[in-house]
């Protein structure tokens, strides 16, 4: 199985996430994308964010129509922040070819991720443009650069209390029903 891991806060999942995951499937010949919402500290103050169970549920709603999409609660059920290298190691046991999807904002910060040497060993990165950030290969890392771009931002969506055209209607309804980001 050729699998891409897609880690993030997904607070909430939006059409940009779905667009880049779909592009990965269409253009890289992969079999599936595993969306992995991260655990977030309940002590983070002053930040408008949704609990893990809500972020997980919204991911399930947004990916319901895509047979290649899976949603994993692996990081959430550990109940403490996970490093990406730990997540990659966990799933590397199951999948022979392992990829990792990220936006340009994360790619340029990759050296600050813990244990980059393990990441470089286990993962082939699939990188998407964002906010005009210049993209360049990094020595030692395997990467494919795709040109699908999407303007959605979870921060902007939270500021709009979830009233955004960049959300699946099922997700928008979920946000309203549970008064998230109000
Ligand atoms: P925010 O807008 O608040 O920064 P986010 O959507 O970037 O939120 P995450 O949910 O953690 O935050 O994103 C998960 C991954 O998806 C990250 O690698 C991020 O770079 C990527 N991503 C999110 N939105 C886009 C987008 N519109 N275009 C390209 N990559 C994106």
């Amino acid at each position: 199985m050729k699998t891409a891991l897609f880690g993030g806060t997904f607070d909430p999942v939006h059409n940009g996430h779905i667009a880049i995951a779909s592009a990965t499937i269409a253009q890289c010949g992969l079999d599936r994308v595993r969306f992995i919402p991260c655990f977030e500290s309940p002590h983070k103050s002053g930040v408008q964010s949704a609990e893990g169970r809500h972020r997980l549920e919204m991911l399930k709603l947004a990916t319901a129509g895509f047979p290649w999409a899976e949603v994993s609660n692996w990081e959430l059920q550990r109940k403490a922040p996970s490093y990406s290298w730990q997540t990659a190691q966990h799933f590397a046991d199951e999948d022979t070819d392992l990829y990792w999807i990220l936006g340009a904002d994360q790619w340029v910060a990759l050296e600050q991720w813990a244990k980059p040497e393990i990441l470089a060993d286990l993962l082939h990165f699939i990188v998407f443009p964002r906010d005009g950030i210049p993209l360049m290969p990094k020595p030692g890392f395997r990467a494919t650069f795709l040109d699908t771009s999407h303007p959605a931002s979870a921060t902007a969506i939270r500021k709009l209390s979830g009233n955004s055209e960049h959300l699946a209607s099922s997700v928008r309804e979920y946000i309203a029903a549970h008064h998230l980001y109000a």
Side-chain angles (χ1 to χ4, degrees):
M1 274 286 223
K2 279 186 167 183
T3 300
L5 306 181
F6 192 5
T9 43
F10 300 110
D11 191 19
V13 58
H14 53 62
N15 294 346
H17 297 125
I18 302 299
I20 66 177
S22 305
T24 301
I25 291 290
Q27 296 178 46
C28 299
L30 302 195
D31 301 300
R32 65 178 165 193
V33 173
R34 282 186 205 269
F35 292 79
I36 310 170
C38 64
F39 179 86
E40 267 189 326
S41 166
H43 309 300
K44 224 162 102 175
S45 61
V47 180
Q48 185 67 258
S49 68
E51 283 174 41
R53 65 189 172 96
H54 289 309
R55 293 182 286 116
L56 186 74
E57 200 50 41
M58 291 188 281
L59 270 166
K60 289 182 182 167
L61 290 170
T63 58
F66 303 103
W68 45 262
E70 280 186 20
V71 181
S72 167
N73 69 351
W74 191 76
E75 289 195 6
L76 286 175
Q77 49 88 31
R78 284 166 48 98
K79 298 204 185 324
S82 302
Y83 289 109
S84 298
W85 68 266
Q86 295 171 313
T87 305
Q89 267 188 345
H90 171 76
F91 287 105
D93 292 340
E94 287 183 35
D95 296 295
T96 39
D97 279 329
L98 205 53
Y99 297 74
W100 187 287
I101 297 173
L102 37 63
D105 52 315
Q106 298 291 322
W107 173 251
V108 296
L110 200 61
E111 283 83 3
Q112 278 109 64
W113 290 24
K115 302 209 194 260
E117 67 287 353
I118 295 184
L119 297 169
D121 182 42
L122 293 178
L123 300 171
H124 183 120
F125 289 91
I126 300 175
V127 189
F128 288 89
R130 211 177 178 193
D131 302 331
I133 298 169
L135 282 173
M136 299 220 275
K138 289 181 190 289
F141 289 92
R142 290 166 289 152
T144 299
F145 298 89
L146 297 187
D147 58 11
T148 300
S149 67
H150 197 286
S153 141
T155 303
I157 290 169
R158 290 194 301 275
K159 282 188 186 146
L160 293 168
S161 305
N163 250 321
S164 164
E165 56 176 339
H166 298 311
L167 292 173
S169 51
S170 52
V171 172
R172 218 172 22 229
E173 284 159 18
Y174 187 95
I175 289 171
H178 294 268
H179 311 293
L180 306 180
Y181 318 121

